[in-house]
C-alpha cells in the first residue's frame, strides 16, 4: 500500500487565549497531521481545555492563528467549523439527556439535508450495541455508554479532525481502555484526533505524538514512545 | 359537580395552550416571559379585526396565530436578543415592559370596552348527567386538543422539533453539534406565540375580549407551568388541566371571585412541597 505523505490538518500558531481578562494560554503552538492521534497532557490548569475550546471557536484567541486544512479559522464560530470538518466532544454534559440515542446521533448531523440514515448505519457499525438501544434516552445510559454516544454524535458528519476533551474521564478502568480502543479505531478509519487525556500512559500508547502543556506554554513535544520513555516526563506527568 | 369538571376542562384547555407556549420559551431561553399573557391579548384582538372582515373562522384563527408569531419574533429581535447576554433577570424585567407596551397598544387600537366575537346567543347542548355545554365550548376543547397533538408531533418527529428539545437540554452542546441555535430560538418564539394567540382567541370566545384579559390569566399560566416543572411542555399540559379543574371545582365551595387565588394557592403549595414540579427533575423535554 502506498503511503501518501502526511499533510498538516491543524496548525495552532502561538495562540494567547483565556476567559475574561485572564490569559490562560501564553503562546501555545501545536500541529496535527491528517492521519495521526495527538495527545496533550499536562497538570490541571495548564490550559489543555482552553486550547481545544480555542480551536473549536468557543473562545476567540487574543493573539496567534489557527489554520485548519490550509484555511485560517481563527475566530470562526463552531457552527461554521462543523461544516468544514471539525468535531468536538466536550468532557462532560456531552449528550442530550432527554433525547434518545438515535436522536442524539441525528442532532450530530443537523446541518445535513439528506444521507443521515446512512451515516447512522456507519455509527451503528462502530458501536453495534447502540442499534438495539437506539430508542433509549441518553440520560438513562451509563457513563461509558454516554461517552460512546457523544463520540457517535461527533462522527455523524465524517469529520477530518476530532477534538476530544478527556474521553475517559470518570470511567471505570476497563471502560477507559475500551474507549481509547475506539478512538484508535476511529483514527484508522481516516479521522485525525487531537485529545486531552488524564490517563496519559494509555493515551500516549495509542498516539503518534504528544505535547506537554504547563502554565499555558509548550513544555515538551515528542512521539508517543519518546514521551513514555522520558524519565522526567514520567516522574512529573505520568505518575512515576 | 359534573358540570364543574366540564367547566374545568374548558378553562384548562385554554390554560394548557397558554402554558405550553410559555414553558417552550422558558425551556429554550431560560427566562420567564411576562409579556406572554399580553401576546395572547394581541392574538385575540387580531382575530377580532379579521372576524370583522367576514373571513371564515378557520382562516381568522390561522392568520391571527401567524400574526402573533411574527409579533413575537419581532419582539425578540428588537428587545430580547440584544439583552440576552445580560442575564435572565434583565430579560424578565424587560418582558414586563413589553407586556405594558403591548397592553397599551391594544388599548390604543381597539379601545378599553369589552368586545365579543359574536353577539349570537348559543343554545347549550344537554349531555348526560345534566351537563350543559355550548357549541363554542366543544370547539374550544377540540381546538386545544388538536393543537397539543400537533405540538407533540412537531417536538418528537421533526428535525426542528428535535433540535428545540436538544437546545432545551443543553444549548452549548447544541451549538457544538452544529445546530443553528438562532433559528431554533426563532422557531420557539413563533410556536410559543402562535399558541398564545390560539389561547387568547379561545379565551375571548369563552368569556369576552378585554385589554387586561391576557395579563389577568398570567398567574394561572405560571401556576400551570410551575406545577408541571418549568420548561417542560408535557408538564405544562398536565398542569394546565389541573389548574383549570381546581379553579372551577373551587367554586362549589368558595366564591367565584377567588378563582385566581386558587391557582395562586396551588402555585405556593407546589413551590413549598415540590419546587421542581409534580413530575420532578430538571427542565427535560421527555
Amino acid at each position: 500500500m502506498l503511503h501518501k505523505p502526511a499533510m498538516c490538518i491543524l496548525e495552532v500558531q502561538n495562540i494567547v487565549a483565556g476567559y475574561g481578562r485572564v490569559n490562560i494560554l501564553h503562546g501555545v503552538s501545536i500541529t496535527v497531521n491528517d492521519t495521526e492521534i495527538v495527545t496533550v497532557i499536562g497538570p490541571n490548569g495548564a490550559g489543555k481545555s482552553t486550547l481545544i475550546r480555542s480551536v473549536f471557536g468557543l473562545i476567540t484567541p487574543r493573539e496567534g492563528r489557527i489554520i485548519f486544512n490550509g484555511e485560517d479559522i481563527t475566530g470562526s464560530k463552531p457552527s461554521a467549523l462543523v461544516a468544514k470538518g471539525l468535531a468536538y466532544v466536550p468532557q462532560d454534559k456531552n449528550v442530550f439527556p432527554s433525547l434518545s440515542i438515535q436522536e442524539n446521533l441525528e442532532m450530530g448531523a443537523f446541518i445535513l439535508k439528506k444521507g443521515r440514515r446512512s451515516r447512522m448505519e456507519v455509527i451503528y457499525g462502530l458501536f453495534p450495541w447502540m442499534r438495539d438501544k437506539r430508542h433509549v434516552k441518553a440520560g438513562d445510559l451509563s457513563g461509558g455508554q454516554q461517552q460512546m454516544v457523544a463520540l457517535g454524535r461527533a462522527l455523524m458528519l465524517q469529520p477530518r479532525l476530532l477534538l476530544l476533551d478527556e474521553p475517559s474521564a470518570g470511567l471505570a478502568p476497563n471502560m477507559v481502555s475500551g474507549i481509547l480502543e475506539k478512538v484508535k479505531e476511529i483514527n484508522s478509519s481516516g479521522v485525525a484526533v487531537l485529545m486531552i487525556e488524564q490517563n496519559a500512559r494509555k493515551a500516549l500508547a495509542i498516539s503518534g505524538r504528544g505535547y506537554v502543556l504547563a502554565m499555558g506554554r509548550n513544555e515538551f513535544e515528542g512521539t508517543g514512545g519518546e514521551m513514555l520513555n522520558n524519565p522526567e516526563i514520567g516522574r512529573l506527568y505520568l505518575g512515576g | 359537580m359534573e358540570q364543574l369538571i366540564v367547566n374545568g376542562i374548558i378553562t384548562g384547555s385554554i390554560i394548557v395552550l397558554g402554558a405550553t407556549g410559555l414553558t417552550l420559551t422558558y425551556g429554550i431561553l431560560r427566562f420567564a416571559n411576562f409579556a406572554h399573557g399580553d401576546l395572547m391579548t394581541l392574538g385575540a384582538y387580531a382575530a377580532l379585526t379579521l372576524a370583522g372582515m367576514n373571513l371564515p373562522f378557520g382562516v381568522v384563527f390561522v392568520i391571527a396565530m401567524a400574526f402573533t408569531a411574527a409579533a413575537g419574533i419581532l419582539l425578540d429581535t428588537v428587545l430580547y436578543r440584544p439583552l440576552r447576554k445580560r442575564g435572565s433577570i434583565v430579560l424578565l424585567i424587560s418582558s414586563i415592559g413589553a407586556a405594558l407596551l403591548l397592553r397599551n397598544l391594544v388599548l390604543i387600537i381597539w379601545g378599553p370596552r369589552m368586545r365579543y366575537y359574536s353577539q349570537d346567543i348559543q343554545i347549550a347542548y344537554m349531555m348526560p348527567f345534566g351537563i350543559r355545554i355550548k357549541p363554542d365550548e366543544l370547539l374550544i376543547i377540540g381546538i386545544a386538543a388538536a393543537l397539543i397533538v400537533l405540538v407533540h408531533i412537531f417536538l418528537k418527529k421533526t428535525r426542528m422539533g428535535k433540535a428545540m428539545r436538544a437546545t432545551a437540554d443543553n444549548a452549548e452542546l447544541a451549538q457544538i453539534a452544529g445546530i443553528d441555535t438562532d433559528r431554533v430560538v426563532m422557531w420557539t418564539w413563533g410556536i410559543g406565540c402562535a399558541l398564545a394567540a390560539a389561547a387568547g382567541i379561545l379565551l375571548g370566545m369563552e368569556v369576552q375580549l378585554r385589554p387586561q384579559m391576557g395579563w389577568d390569566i398570567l398567574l394561572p399560566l405560571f401556576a400551570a407551568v410551575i406545577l408541571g416543572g418549568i420548561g417542560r411542555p408535557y408538564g405544562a399540559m398536565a398542569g394546565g388541566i389541573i389548574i383549570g379543574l381546581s379553579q372551577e371545582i373551587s367554586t362549589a365551595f368558595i366564591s367565584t371571585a377567588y378563582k385566581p387565588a386558587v391557582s395562586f394557592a396551588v402555585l405556593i403549595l407546589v413551590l413549598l412541597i415540590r419546587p421542581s414540579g409534580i413530575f420532578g427533575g430538571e427542565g427535560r423535554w421527555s
Side-chain angles (χ1 to χ4, degrees), chain B residues 3-4 7 18 65 69 72 81 120 144-145 149 181 183 196 199 221 234 248 263 267 270:
Chain B
Q3 183 67 47
L4 291 180
N7 291 350
M65 281 174 79
R81 191 187 295 164
D120 302 344
V149 169
T181 45
R183 247 180 73 217
L221 291 193
Y234 295 100
E248 295 300 329
S263 43
L267 177 62
V270 172

Side-chain angles (χ1 to χ4, degrees), chain A residues 47 75 82 96 98 114 117 125 128 131 136 203 208 213:
Chain A
V82 167
F96 299 111
S98 75
K114 52 187 171 191
R117 183 63 53 182
R131 194 189 299 271
V136 176
L213 225 61

Side-chain angles (χ1 to χ4, degrees), chain B residues 27-50:
Chain B
I28 298 285
L29 298 153
R30 301 283 150 183
F31 88 97
N33 177 27
F34 272 74
H36 196 78
D38 293 286
L39 284 159
M40 278 174 64
T41 314
L42 183 70
Y45 274 91
L48 180 71
T49 297
L50 290 162

Side-chain angles (χ1 to χ4, degrees), chain A residues 100-130:
Chain A
S100 69
I101 290 181
Q102 184 172 320
E103 288 171 335
N104 265 275
L105 296 182
E106 280 174 45
M107 289 302 107
F110 179 81
I111 61 169
L112 223 58
K113 289 277 181 278
K114 52 187 171 191
R116 272 183 283 171
R117 183 63 53 182
S118 64
R119 279 308 298 162
M120 210 173 285
E121 285 305 314
V122 175
I123 307 300
Y124 288 149
L126 186 62
F127 303 106
W129 64 270
M130 280 186 201

